[in-house]
């Protein structure tokens, strides 16, 4: 049943013009940024060749590409997740879904896997750009893998937050605004960590940006991977509890 819900969600997303529009705009913007970074590398290639252990294609093109993709998807993901549950509630179909012989965990897992499938397709499309550089240059494949992993884990976290906000909001627009606000707060949380020379290890650890950048740098630490897994699991659990609460209210 879980996979049936996931397939239905993914199919619904692709039947929506919103998903296609977002994919097209996203690819256009990222392709422009990617080509700009390639042009910058070509302009400084001669100087970089004379520097010992100087930055290469991976540092100048790949890492900024995935960093820019993360920022743009911070804005885009709430638009893709906003209707997951709140649309069902608004269309009065949530009660039908809750009365079906399927538990809340399977419903939430199905909807999460559906949106995660679309987000991983976006990651796959983004990967085609740096991989095209292998035709005429050399890449640090280890750093490329870390960037792919970092963006995939980040989007899994974004999807979990968006799903939870969709569970508690009565309208998709409210879910999108709530998701964006919470993700932005978690993104900039470590900005206050060093204000006035006072560091906050708690804020620094909770900051989603810091863990993302750690992975992006090529340092594959289990603590950063575990952070994203626990982050996603927490919001998925909250979503299940919220759906079970709705079931009890029926």
């Amino acid at each position: 049943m879980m996979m049936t819900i996931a397939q239905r969600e993914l199919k619904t997303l692709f039947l929506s013009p919103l998903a296609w529009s977002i994919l097209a705009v996203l690819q256009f913007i990222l392709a422009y940024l990617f080509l700009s970074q390639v042009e910058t590398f070509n302009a400084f290639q001669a100087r970089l060749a004379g520097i010992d252990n100087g930055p290469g294609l991976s540092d100048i093109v790949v890492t900024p590409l995935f960093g820019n993709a993360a920022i743009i998807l911070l804005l885009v993901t709430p638009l893709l997740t906003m209707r997951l549950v709140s649309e069902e509630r608004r269309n009065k179909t949530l009660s039908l879904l809750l009365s079906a012989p399927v538990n809340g965990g399977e419903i939430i897992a199905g909807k999460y896997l559906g949106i995660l499938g679309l987000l991983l397709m976006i990651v796959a499309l983004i990967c085609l750009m740096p991989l095209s550089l292998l035709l005429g240059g050399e890449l640090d494949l280890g750093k490329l893998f870390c960037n792919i992993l970092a963006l995939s884990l980040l989007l899994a976290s974004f999807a979990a937050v968006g799903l939870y906000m969709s569970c508690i909001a009565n309208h998709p627009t409210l879910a999108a605004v709530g998701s964006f606000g919470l993700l932005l707060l978690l993104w900039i949380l470590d900005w206050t960590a060093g204000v006035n020379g006072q560091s906050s290890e708690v804020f620094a650890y909770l900051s989603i940006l810091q863990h993302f950048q750690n992975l992006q740098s090529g340092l594959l630490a289990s603590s950063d991977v575990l952070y994203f897994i626990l982050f996603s699991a927490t919001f998925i659990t909250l979503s299940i509890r919220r759906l079970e609460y709705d079931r009890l209210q029926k």
Side-chain angles (χ1 to χ4, degrees):
M1 182 59 76
M2 180 181 69
M3 295 310 298
T4 303
I5 295 174
Q7 291 172 2
R8 173 179 169 271
E9 283 300 322
L10 192 57
K11 184 178 179 182
T12 303
L13 285 167
F14 277 107
L15 289 175
S16 165
L18 176 65
W20 288 106
S21 302
I22 288 174
L23 282 173
V25 172
L26 184 65
Q27 288 302 310
F28 178 79
I29 294 174
L30 290 177
Y32 173 77
L33 295 173
F34 171 71
L35 292 174
S36 298
Q37 290 300 122
V38 172
E39 188 175 352
T40 300
F41 176 79
N42 288 333
F44 291 97
Q45 187 176 13
R47 298 181 188 176
L48 294 172
I51 302 175
D52 292 335
N53 298 320
L57 264 176
S58 301
D59 300 304
I60 296 179
V61 179
V62 176
T63 302
L65 173 68
F66 280 85
N68 291 328
I71 294 172
I72 296 172
L73 286 165
L74 173 70
L75 306 173
V76 167
T77 306
L79 298 176
L80 294 171
T81 59
M82 65 180 182
R83 46 157 297 282
L84 286 173
V85 177
S86 61
E87 185 79 359
E88 303 264 12
R89 183 178 287 112
R90 193 177 66 154
N91 292 336
K92 311 295 183 186
T93 56
L94 183 60
S95 56
L96 295 175
L97 188 59
L98 292 175
S99 61
V102 54
N103 61 49
E106 289 178 308
I107 295 173
I108 291 299
K111 288 184 173 292
Y112 180 72
L113 290 177
I115 190 66
L116 187 61
L118 175 63
L119 294 174
L120 291 180
M121 286 181 194
I122 292 175
V123 175
L125 290 173
I126 294 172
C127 289
L128 296 178
M129 286 184 257
L131 287 176
S132 67
L133 296 174
L134 290 173
L135 296 174
E138 294 182 356
L139 287 178
D140 183 337
L141 295 179
K143 185 167 285 188
L144 174 61
F145 170 76
C146 286
N147 273 274
I148 295 171
L149 178 65
L151 188 59
S152 300
L153 291 172
L154 185 74
L155 294 185
S157 302
F158 286 177
V161 171
L163 177 58
Y164 174 64
M165 296 307 294
S166 184
C167 285
I168 63 175
N170 290 322
H171 195 282
T173 305
L174 291 177
V177 173
S179 301
F180 174 71
L182 181 56
L183 289 174
L184 183 61
L185 175 64
L186 292 168
W187 187 267
I188 65 174
L189 200 57
D190 71 328
W191 291 8
T192 61
V195 174
N196 297 327
Q198 297 177 349
S199 61
S200 170
E201 293 184 0
V202 176
F203 282 175
Y205 180 76
L206 291 177
S207 170
I208 201 168
L209 174 61
Q210 189 167 98
H211 294 281
F212 174 69
Q213 288 180 333
N214 287 345
L215 288 173
Q216 262 204 308
S217 67
L219 182 63
L220 184 57
S222 58
S223 58
D224 295 317
V225 175
L226 189 61
Y227 167 85
F228 283 111
I229 293 174
L230 290 176
F231 185 98
S232 302
T234 299
F235 280 97
I236 290 172
T237 303
L238 290 174
S239 301
I240 294 172
R241 292 180 65 86
R242 172 65 193 192
L243 206 62
E244 293 296 345
Y245 173 79
D246 286 340
R247 188 195 294 272
L248 293 174
Q249 299 304 309
K250 299 299 178 185

